[in-house]
Amino acid sequence: MKNIVLIGMPGVGKSTVGVLLAKALGFSFVDTDLIIQRNTGRLLQDIIDNDGLDAFCAEEERAICSVTAEHGAVIATGGSAVYSENAMLHLKKHGVVYYLSLPVEELIGRLSNITTRGIAKRPEDTIEDVFRRRAELYEQYADITIDCIGSSAEQTVAKICEQFRKEGYNGL
């Protein structure tokens, strides 16, 4: 049984969808942002603000590469996980990578707490800048893209379950 790995921009719903998906499939749930916080004892935004983007990305890579290849897990990554080839190859080795896709305009509407939620970006970057930089990487690493336009978290879960089963994985 393969793991399910969720990638995509902040605000797309990776963590929310991940919890619901894990329940629907009887899988365990792993949130790599929480691993970073547990490992460092700090909030994501504190690391970004005080140590910089490069230091944050190094912590993120360490956290992702520490995730064991336990099968039957839903793994929600931080939006910047795709900056690390090592991390993404580690996840792809035992998982199917789903890119949860939304247009940047819809993401901006969802990101009301941009200064506190731990978005890995340089201070001068806008969400549009981050989106442009990451979109190609999301597409590169994705095995399957899930269009989330107009979908609730539950509808997104249903789309992923349907696709996962089409690929021959039936959960537990």
Side-chain angles (χ1 to χ4, degrees), residues 3-5 8 24 44 46 56 76 103 105 134 153:
N3 295 321
I4 294 176
V5 178
L44 303 178
D46 178 56
F56 175 81
E105 301 79 22
R134 293 182 187 176

Side-chain angles (χ1 to χ4, degrees), residues 37-49:
Q37 289 183 174
R38 185 183 65 228
N39 288 349
T40 63
R42 298 167 67 192
L43 297 175
L44 303 178
Q45 195 63 52
D46 178 56
I47 299 167
I48 295 164
D49 290 346

Side-chain angles (χ1 to χ4, degrees), residues 31-167:
D31 187 319
T32 62
D33 282 347
L34 296 178
I35 293 172
I36 296 168
Q37 289 183 174
R38 185 183 65 228
N39 288 349
T40 63
R42 298 167 67 192
L43 297 175
L44 303 178
Q45 195 63 52
D46 178 56
I47 299 167
I48 295 164
D49 290 346
N50 294 301
D51 300 351
L53 181 60
D54 292 339
F56 175 81
C57 288
E59 285 294 341
E60 184 170 47
E61 181 178 293
R62 271 191 290 282
I64 290 170
C65 290
S66 76
V67 174
T68 59
E70 169 192 339
H71 291 296
V74 175
I75 303 166
T77 65
S80 55
V82 292
Y83 288 151
S84 169
E85 182 178 15
N86 287 338
M88 291 308 301
L89 292 176
H90 176 77
L91 292 169
K92 285 179 75 70
K93 185 175 181 182
H94 296 286
V96 180
V97 177
Y98 289 80
Y99 166 31
L100 304 186
S101 175
L102 270 178
V104 70
E105 301 79 22
E106 194 163 335
L107 290 165
I108 290 170
R110 293 181 179 198
L111 293 173
S112 59
N113 57 342
I114 191 168
T115 58
T116 59
R117 76 172 282 150
I119 296 175
K121 67 180 200 62
R122 291 185 166 73
E124 68 275 9
D125 285 347
T126 65
I127 294 301
E128 291 91 343
D129 295 333
V130 174
F131 182 84
R132 275 191 296 276
R133 200 171 294 122
R134 293 182 187 176
E136 184 177 311
L137 294 170
Y138 293 138
E139 292 170 11
Q140 173 187 330
Y141 289 116
D143 295 309
I144 298 162
T145 298
I146 302 292
D147 183 352
C148 299
I149 296 173
S151 295
S152 67
E154 291 81 3
Q155 290 167 324
T156 301
V157 167
K159 289 179 186 182
I160 296 170
C161 286
E162 179 183 343
Q163 188 64 46
F164 195 63
R165 290 187 176 110
K166 277 185 190 175
E167 298 297 319

